[in-house]
Amino acid sequence: MELALTNNDVAIHFTIRGKGYPVVMLHGQFMNTSMFESFNDAFKEYQLIKIDLRGHGRSDKPTAINMEGYIEDVLSVLDKLFIKQAHFIGFGLGAMVAGTIAAKYPSYVNRLVLMSIGKCSYYEAEQKFHEKYASILRTLSRKQRNEVLMDYMYHDIKLVKKYYKRMTDTATGLTDKEENAVILSTIDFNVDDFKSINAPTLILNGKYDELVPQDEAQFIHQVIGNSRLITFLNSGHAMLFEEKERFENEVLDFFTQQ
């Protein structure tokens, strides 16, 4: 098991696959490196560096987390591997982290792919989402709410669940304090930081994603000057699974553009 230690001795788990140009892959909230396992073959020409952000996967689980901590996780892994620059792919939470690294530590980022990211913290987006469907959700547990909300987040729910079942479940065993730390971890996310991003950026959004609606993806596109926005017409929040082949082709083509 590969581990890197941050300056504050937080142990960060990561995996490495391949020997090509490095691509850093950052997972979504309450997910982990296993969400990217099905993309190994498509990206076989690259060295894939998948990182469990703190509070997730096999990394340490502090009871207080913020964006700076997540950034330290990623840079600690890259510094351990002597990687000075890489392509970045981020999903949801991972997109917030990848974009903020591109804004604040631009030398590390060559090309940037941001999936399912809006203009506010994940906590705020989820709160708005829950308020919109409060009449349906108010008597349900958090787990039950998340099951119901899948109908409004994804287009091909059956396919998404198939991929989710393949992921390693490392969230079930979290304590309440550890879970709350993750839920609140992006409160200090500031989309205005993205105005500083100079790296070529590909923004991916699903037409049926009600958690991150299209107008928010358009907002991110307008904030990042050197960016392109693609809307996946047959997807919701998880276009990388719902339209996997197109996702792979779009990202691979983006990586090879001059």
Side-chain angles (χ1 to χ4, degrees):
M1 187 167 72
E2 298 281 358
L3 292 174
L5 279 180
T6 69
N7 291 332
N8 295 318
D9 292 328
V10 178
I12 302 302
H13 168 257
F14 64 96
T15 66
I16 308 173
R17 184 184 179 96
K19 296 182 179 180
Y21 187 83
V23 176
V24 177
M25 308 183 88
L26 302 178
H27 58 75
Q29 192 173 54
F30 292 114
M31 297 179 180
N32 53 63
T33 57
S34 67
M35 78 168 292
F36 295 116
E37 286 304 297
S38 60
F39 302 99
N40 290 336
D41 289 342
F43 292 89
K44 62 186 177 182
E45 301 300 322
Y46 294 90
Q47 181 181 61
L48 303 182
I49 302 158
K50 305 166 192 172
I51 301 173
D52 279 334
L53 299 169
R54 62 182 66 195
H56 299 79
R58 295 184 174 88
S59 294
D60 281 350
K61 296 171 177 62
T63 55
I65 305 174
N66 57 27
M67 288 296 295
E68 287 302 320
Y70 286 141
I71 291 169
E72 186 182 15
D73 300 342
V74 177
L75 300 190
S76 295
V77 171
L78 295 184
D79 290 347
K80 177 173 182 174
L81 298 176
F82 301 101
I83 292 174
K84 301 299 182 184
Q85 191 176 69
H87 297 323
F88 277 68
I89 298 176
F91 173 79
L93 166 64
M96 293 181 186
V97 177
T100 305
I101 291 173
K104 294 186 174 183
Y105 302 91
S107 64
Y108 281 96
V109 182
N110 186 343
R111 286 179 172 265
L112 178 64
V113 179
L114 304 177
M115 293 180 278
S116 303
I117 181 175
K119 59 185 179 182
C120 57
S121 72
Y122 194 90
Y123 172 76
E124 293 169 297
E126 191 176 50
Q127 288 298 109
K128 291 178 183 178
F129 197 34
H130 284 190
E131 287 170 9
K132 183 176 180 180
Y133 297 104
S135 61
I136 302 172
L137 305 173
R138 61 187 181 83
T139 61
L140 303 180
S141 68
R142 180 177 177 81
K143 183 177 180 180
Q144 290 171 325
R145 289 199 304 268
N146 289 340
E147 283 291 321
V148 171
L149 289 174
M150 289 188 79
D151 291 337
Y152 303 94
M153 286 177 63
Y154 306 111
H155 184 55
D156 193 334
I157 301 170
K158 184 177 180 180
L159 183 60
V160 171
K161 285 185 175 180
K162 174 184 172 183
Y163 279 102
Y164 276 24
K165 285 181 180 179
R166 295 178 184 175
M167 293 184 208
T168 304
D169 180 8
T170 55
T172 299
L174 294 176
T175 67
D176 288 345
K177 287 185 177 180
E178 290 169 344
E179 183 177 340
N180 286 335
V182 173
I183 291 170
L184 298 173
S185 62
T186 57
I187 286 294
D188 60 336
F189 169 68
N190 186 354
V191 72
D192 285 340
D193 290 336
F194 282 20
K195 294 175 182 177
S196 301
I197 295 176
N198 292 316
T201 302
L202 183 64
I203 302 164
L204 307 180
N205 176 254
K207 177 181 177 180
Y208 297 96
D209 184 359
E210 292 195 43
L211 181 63
V212 183
Q214 291 182 64
D215 63 322
E216 295 216 10
Q218 184 65 40
F219 178 86
I220 298 293
H221 173 44
Q222 292 171 352
V223 167
I224 303 174
N226 189 12
S227 68
R228 178 187 174 208
L229 171 63
I230 298 177
T231 299
F232 284 66
L233 300 180
N234 297 305
S235 294
H237 194 66
M239 78 293 295
L240 72 169
F241 300 133
E242 296 176 85
E243 294 182 74
K244 182 174 181 288
E245 185 175 350
R246 185 188 176 193
F247 162 76
E248 292 169 341
N249 290 337
E250 293 287 4
V251 173
L252 289 169
D253 182 62
F254 173 65
F255 282 168
T256 56
Q257 290 173 9
Q258 299 297 320

